Amino acid sequence: SSTTSMTLPHAQFKKGDSVTCDITPNDGTTDGVVVRSSTVVISNSAPSIASASISPATPTKTDTIVCSPGITADVDGDTVTVSYAWRVNGTPNAVTTASLGSAYFNAPDTVQCGITPYDGTTYGTEVLSSTVTVKNTPPVLSSVYISPTTPTKADTVSCTPGSVFDADGHTVSYTAAWTVNSSTIGVTTQTLPMSAFKRGDVLQCTLTPNDGYDNGTSVTSSVATVGNAAPETGTPTLSPSPIYTDSTVTCLPTGSTDADGDTVTHTFSW
């Protein structure tokens, strides 16, 4: 090299070059004996990457999360490739691709990616993205129906959900709302107390699904009209007791009831 200063500019050497320097002492009049340094071989410089970004910024269970590298650099001019690593709730997983599928996260997990540059010889320093939090996806309820479909005063009337889907796999619960003859009543359970309706009333219910984080869209049933409840009677008894061949036998009803409060009459057959 033609350089005569104490420092050698990096433009004058490259990775793998062998470099020595010679020093010639001078006392102002005469040069002394030249002394040569030991030889050093220029090492590979590690590559670098400017940033790692993650998208979308607010992912849901239905998204694929993508990790994108910023600008890479290598002072030796080597080609730089990158490798990926993912952390869910701070714990590394086995995924090494630029995208993370929904099988690896649920709401409200936190997700972060890391990118490490490589120049074919040396790995650079890993750069981490910001952390994103997976947003909950509300549950989806398909339908609601009143059971039984033709209730009576004697029935236990229930507001029954159809199929429900929660993308995050959360357990779904329900809040009910009931109307009787189109008027809202203060019952929020899925079972309607018998005291809340009578024969001829028109019932309708609404269920709101909740997965522990968010409410889904409320779904309302078809209407159901309360029918007449059949009367009931207990086991009849025969009188008198004992009965003889010359007795007049009477069939006596016992325990007759009617859920609607109607008067119960009886017909007999022998």
Side-chain angles (χ1 to χ4, degrees), residues 186-208:
V187 176
T188 58
T189 57
Q190 288 178 243
T191 301
L192 186 64
M194 280 190 272
S195 60
F197 63 93
K198 64 184 182 303
R199 181 180 57 201
D201 284 345
V202 177
L203 310 180
Q204 193 170 38
C205 70
T206 298
L207 288 181
T208 302

Side-chain angles (χ1 to χ4, degrees), residues 58-135:
T58 308
T60 67
K61 179 66 175 177
T62 58
D63 291 319
T64 296
I65 301 177
V66 177
C67 188
S68 300
I71 296 172
T72 59
D74 187 88
V75 297
D76 301 312
D78 296 329
T79 299
V80 179
T81 59
V82 296
S83 58
Y84 299 89
W86 292 90
R87 297 166 177 81
V88 178
N89 299 324
T91 301
N93 65 25
V95 178
T96 57
T97 58
S99 60
L100 184 68
S102 61
Y104 293 94
F105 57 85
N106 293 300
D109 288 344
T110 59
V111 179
Q112 185 180 44
C113 71
I115 302 179
T116 302
Y118 180 65
D119 65 2
T121 303
T122 305
Y123 287 98
T125 301
E126 182 186 42
V127 175
L128 297 177
S129 72
S130 59
T131 299
V132 297
T133 299
V134 180
K135 183 181 179 181

